[in-house]
Amino acid sequence: MEENHHHEANDFTDYNEAVTAYRKTFASKADVVAQTPDPAIRDMVEYFSQRGIETIWDRFDKQKPHCNFGLAGICCKNCSMGPCRITKKATKGTCGADADLIVARNLLRAVAAGTSSHGWRGRESMLALKAAAEGRLNLPIEGEGKIRATAKGFGINADGKTLNQLASEVADKLLEDLSRTLPDKHNAIYNFAPKERVKRWEQLGIMPIGTMHEVFDCLHRSTTGTDGDWKNTMKQLERTGLAFAWGSCFGTATAQDCLFGLPRQNTVKANLGALKDGYVNIAVHGHSPVLVSEIVRQGRSEKYINLAKSVGAQGIQFYGICCSGLSAMYRYADVIPLSNAVGAELVLGTGALDLWVADVQDVFPTIMEVADCVKTTVVTTNDAARLPGSEFYGYDHNHSNFDQTSQLAQKIIERAIRSFSERKDIPRHIPPYSVDAMTGYSIENLTKSFGGLQNFFDAIVDGRIRGVINLVGCNNPRLVHEKQIVEVAQELVKNNFFIMTNGCASFALIKMGFCNMQGWQKGGTTAREFLEPKGLPPIVHMGECLDNARANGMFKTVAEGTNNAIKDMPFAFVSPEWSNEKGICAALGFRLAGIDSYHCVYPPVQGSRNVENYLYNGARENCGGVMKINTDGKNLAKMIISDLEEKRKKLGWN
């Protein structure tokens, strides 16, 4: 499909043809087997077919042909007068909402959901930080430097205060941004966001009150007969995007760094070939690190290692699925990253996992079917995310049992050891593919690697580094699994960009060797000459999906260090395979910062020429950044390179 397809008129036939053309680009299971860059994925998909086990790609193929109304965003079911859909005959819903309003409202509700997702699990980390500071949660506070720096940034007076007192006050500031009751200045935005951006957001009137308030507002104004102005609806969408970026994302990342400390650089094995036979194998899957951190700590204790050996195991090994796994990986060495959310079922299907710890978000319900096939015990740990047939060892709705964290972790480890004993005769199928991955990068340790940030700034200005990229996002079965992520990365590495990654997309980059020193064989000349002697791989792994906050911090640091506004810099946010509400929010947050977002998946807005044109063009004046689409990864990369070279030209840089 052509990049940023536009229809000539806001007419049903016009956008129906556009969506139909887009639908024809959707991948199939056969395409995945033929084209996915990871041989372990190919191996497991074929193995599942032989065993008659359903995969996400089987389910996706059964959904075809996908509904044009849903793809275009012109289906409304917000009330029971519908559901309504916009057609050539019916240009308005029963209540009178037209295509522009329906598309804008649907997008707004998606942003509300994404904002609540990171905010919800962020609240758990913020509450945990406060509980640890007050002695109600028996976890060590490991981020002293982060606590002191954040307290200073918030203007908290540190004189005569203990570390725990400062941690408690930092938690209060973060929780206030999340759930502010009375309108007031947003702590994180006014103390940490770029001043140029703050001024622009004030001019636009999109400063959020607090994360929960803006989600509340989104749901209210999109109810029957409330906000009937699509432009005003989009204004609330942008306000909520700021609440996501600075309340849900920045706030959560800050709380976790304060409690668990900054990332620690280490090298780990990755991919399915790193699965260890003969060990009590435990996978951690989801997004909340609070209980996970204690599970890992307990599992490494002499007590439980000896208990595992007493039943015939060689020891206990942890594996990472999705963001709980990434968070554990970069803070605790020897947590092996295996897969993003879309590939989780394939990992389970190896039969090598004795226990699967599922907390919240991106845990598909069908993992229970695969777990039943291989007799893997699945444990859920949060009342917000239960799975039928799983066992529950976790926090209650009020987090009133934080004080039982150690006991819960011990029960989970003991259940894993018992599961190992019960599963000794279960067949294993482990594809023989593994790779080393260098992980645990942050602005702080990258500064040391650069020998000071000024060296990095100089390399960008003089052209050895052509620009800075944040390459992240979900995975989407509309595309061949991980293919577009890898294709985009390959082109950007060849063309000398500094690339950061986190979250689900990062698994593809890890598995394909971009995150180790051998990755330089994939290309890069001047960037390689600058980065390789400093011990840095072509792509630096910054953590889990909310660690977009680290990337945002890097963008701000580089812009300020070169005396430019972020919107004028050769920066890009790239999320080729995004698929869920958090993905919409992440891209929106960076566009509000003034950075264009690039994708291989279209948003559900093609039914509204006005909303579509605003996202692709009109938002430039307001936000500073727009959304750009091309369904082909190589062509998307060419677009990014061209755009960033043009920005360099305008800055007068070589």
Side-chain angles (χ1 to χ4, degrees):
M1 242 182 120
E2 292 297 321
E3 62 185 75
N4 289 353
H5 179 90
H6 296 297
H7 5 101
E8 294 302 319
N10 201 17
D11 176 82
F12 174 74
T13 303
D14 193 32
Y15 58 70
N16 190 48
E17 290 176 355
V19 175
T20 299
Y22 172 44
R23 197 174 65 187
K24 290 178 180 178
T25 69
F26 289 3
S28 66
K29 179 180 176 180
D31 293 328
V32 173
V33 172
Q35 300 176 42
T36 183
D38 181 7
I41 294 291
R42 184 178 301 111
D43 184 306
M44 289 306 301
V45 173
E46 292 174 337
Y47 178 68
F48 270 45
S49 294
Q50 293 166 10
R51 293 199 59 187
I53 304 174
E54 188 179 68
T55 69
I56 187 172
W57 298 284
D58 292 304
R59 297 190 295 275
F60 184 76
D61 283 349
K62 289 176 183 177
Q63 291 293 327
K64 294 175 179 176
H66 289 75
C67 172
N68 276 17
F69 297 100
L71 289 170
I74 48 173
C75 174
C76 181
K77 55 185 187 297
N78 289 6
C79 78
S80 293
M81 292 189 290
C84 297
R85 60 187 187 180
I86 300 301
T87 67
K88 191 172 185 177
K89 180 181 74 172
T91 59
K92 294 181 180 178
T94 301
C95 74
D98 62 11
D100 294 333
L101 182 58
I102 290 173
V103 169
R105 288 193 314 203
N106 288 341
L107 198 61
L108 181 68
R109 287 201 162 203
V111 167
T115 302
S116 70
S117 294
H118 270 336
W120 188 98
R121 56 107 158 205
R123 180 173 176 271
E124 182 164 281
S125 292
M126 295 170 200
L127 290 173
L129 175 62
K130 189 166 182 64
E134 296 177 353
R136 293 179 287 108
L137 171 59
N138 187 25
L139 286 181
I141 295 178
E142 301 184 67
E144 179 174 355
K146 188 68 174 183
I147 290 169
R148 295 192 183 281
T150 305
K152 182 178 179 181
F154 279 140
I156 296 171
N157 184 2
D159 292 346
K161 293 177 181 174
T162 66
L163 181 66
N164 281 24
Q165 287 173 324
L166 287 176
S168 180
E169 290 190 44
V170 166
D172 288 340
K173 291 284 188 183
L174 298 174
L175 285 164
E176 184 182 21
D177 283 345
L178 203 65
S179 54
R180 182 170 288 104
T181 303
L182 299 176
D184 201 352
K185 284 192 172 184
H186 193 283
N187 296 315
I189 290 176
Y190 279 95
N191 287 289
F192 292 98
K195 301 307 178 188
E196 179 270 335
R197 290 285 84 194
V198 172
K199 182 178 179 181
R200 184 60 183 147
W201 299 332
E202 287 177 332
Q203 291 170 344
L204 294 171
I206 59 171
M207 280 297 183
I209 292 174
T211 304
M212 292 184 184
H213 177 90
E214 302 312 335
V215 170
F216 192 61
D217 192 308
C218 290
L219 296 179
H220 164 244
R221 72 173 62 213
S222 58
T223 55
T224 307
T226 307
D227 196 340
D229 183 344
W230 76 267
K231 291 181 180 178
N232 200 46
T233 299
M234 293 298 287
K235 184 175 180 179
Q236 175 60 20
L237 180 137
E238 291 173 349
R239 187 179 290 120
T240 310
L242 289 180
F244 169 86
W246 293 98
S248 297
C249 196
F250 174 89
T252 303
T254 300
Q256 291 184 186
D257 281 352
C258 287
L259 183 56
F260 302 113
L262 290 169
R264 300 165 177 88
Q265 288 178 255
N266 59 75
T267 299
V268 297
K269 288 289 184 184
N271 214 348
L272 297 183
L275 282 160
K276 295 182 179 180
D277 205 9
Y279 282 74
V280 175
N281 286 329
I282 302 173
V284 291
H285 180 189
H287 286 79
S288 183
V290 180
L291 183 53
V292 166
S293 68
E294 183 65 5
I295 293 170
V296 173
R297 191 180 75 83
Q298 293 284 350
R300 288 178 170 173
S301 68
E302 185 176 352
K303 170 185 175 181
Y304 285 112
I305 291 173
N306 289 337
L307 184 60
K309 290 180 177 179
S310 73
V311 298
Q314 295 180 50
I316 298 173
Q317 179 62 54
F318 289 95
Y319 303 89
I321 312 296
C322 210
C323 286
S324 290
L326 293 177
S327 177
M329 172 195 73
Y330 72 67
R331 290 191 169 99
Y332 313 107
D334 196 34
V335 176
I336 296 171
L338 293 181
S339 175
N340 43 46
V342 167
E345 294 168 351
L346 303 183
V347 177
L348 253 177
T350 63
L353 279 304
D354 299 299
L355 188 80
W356 194 276
V357 182
D359 51 72
V360 295
Q361 300 170 26
D362 292 316
V363 181
F364 301 161
T366 44
I367 70 165
M368 295 306 302
E369 297 172 17
V370 182
D372 186 59
C373 290
V374 295
K375 307 306 177 187
T376 295
T377 302
V378 177
V379 166
T380 56
T381 64
N382 205 290
D383 186 57
R386 302 264 190 151
L387 292 168
S390 66
E391 300 176 22
F392 182 76
Y393 303 90
Y395 298 132
D396 61 31
H397 183 68
N398 296 321
H399 290 91
S400 65
N401 58 337
F402 262 157
D403 62 340
Q404 298 173 25
T405 296
S406 292
Q407 294 95 312
L408 291 170
Q410 289 168 10
K411 288 179 181 178
I412 289 168
I413 296 296
E414 289 164 6
R415 185 66 184 90
I417 294 171
R418 190 163 79 251
S419 181
F420 172 86
S421 299
E422 297 164 353
R423 299 183 67 257
K424 290 182 179 180
D425 59 343
I426 298 297
R428 268 72 165 165
H429 179 83
I430 301 176
Y433 306 102
S434 66
V435 66
D436 287 337
M438 300 166 66
T439 66
Y441 291 99
S442 65
I443 297 175
E444 291 83 356
N445 58 39
L446 283 171
T447 299
K448 294 179 182 178
S449 296
F450 294 144
L453 284 170
Q454 189 58 51
N455 291 327
F456 186 46
F457 303 155
D458 292 343
I460 294 171
V461 173
D462 67 28
R464 286 171 289 167
I465 302 291
R466 305 305 295 176
V468 183
I469 309 284
N470 191 30
L471 176 53
V472 299
C474 331
N475 302 96
N476 195 320
R478 293 185 189 180
L479 305 167
V480 172
H481 187 58
E482 300 178 331
K483 180 185 177 188
Q484 310 301 343
I485 294 167
V486 171
E487 287 186 348
V488 170
Q490 183 69 74
E491 293 302 312
L492 296 177
V493 167
K494 286 180 181 177
N495 285 274
N496 299 301
F497 289 90
F498 179 77
I499 306 167
M500 305 172 285
T501 191
N502 65 63
C504 278
S506 72
F507 284 95
L509 303 174
I510 284 175
K511 293 185 295 181
M512 292 300 102
F514 287 98
C515 296
N516 63 40
M517 298 307 290
Q518 287 70 43
W520 285 116
Q521 297 171 10
K522 301 177 186 297
T525 52
T526 57
R528 180 176 185 175
E529 290 168 4
F530 176 73
L531 295 170
E532 189 177 35
K534 296 170 174 56
L536 294 172
I539 299 180
V540 295
H541 198 290
M542 302 284 270
E544 55 175 309
C545 56
L546 70 83
D547 287 320
N548 276 318
R550 297 193 204 285
N552 197 19
M554 180 62 84
F555 287 135
K556 178 191 175 189
T557 298
V558 174
E560 291 177 348
T562 57
N563 298 311
N564 291 287
I566 286 179
K567 65 182 179 63
D568 299 324
M569 291 290 288
F571 295 160
F573 173 84
V574 188
S575 178
E577 300 182 17
W578 74 272
S579 63
N580 61 34
E581 299 103 332
K582 288 180 291 184
I584 295 175
C585 289
L588 174 60
F590 280 94
R591 292 198 301 273
L592 285 161
I595 300 169
D596 289 346
S597 69
Y598 296 83
H599 315 272
C600 295
V601 175
Y602 277 83
V605 299
Q606 288 174 296
S608 167
R609 180 185 180 189
N610 282 324
V611 174
E612 185 183 50
N613 284 345
Y614 181 77
L615 289 178
Y616 299 158
N617 298 295
R620 171 82 67 204
E621 182 179 353
N622 276 3
C623 304
V626 297
M627 192 177 207
K628 299 195 174 188
I629 319 289
N630 194 299
T631 56
D632 181 88
K634 291 183 179 179
N635 288 333
L636 185 73
K638 290 176 183 177
M639 186 193 305
I640 296 165
I641 294 164
S642 176
D643 288 352
L644 270 56
E645 289 297 337
E646 183 62 27
K647 289 209 168 190
R648 293 187 64 86
K649 183 178 178 181
K650 289 181 179 178
L651 287 165
W653 294 352
N654 177 18

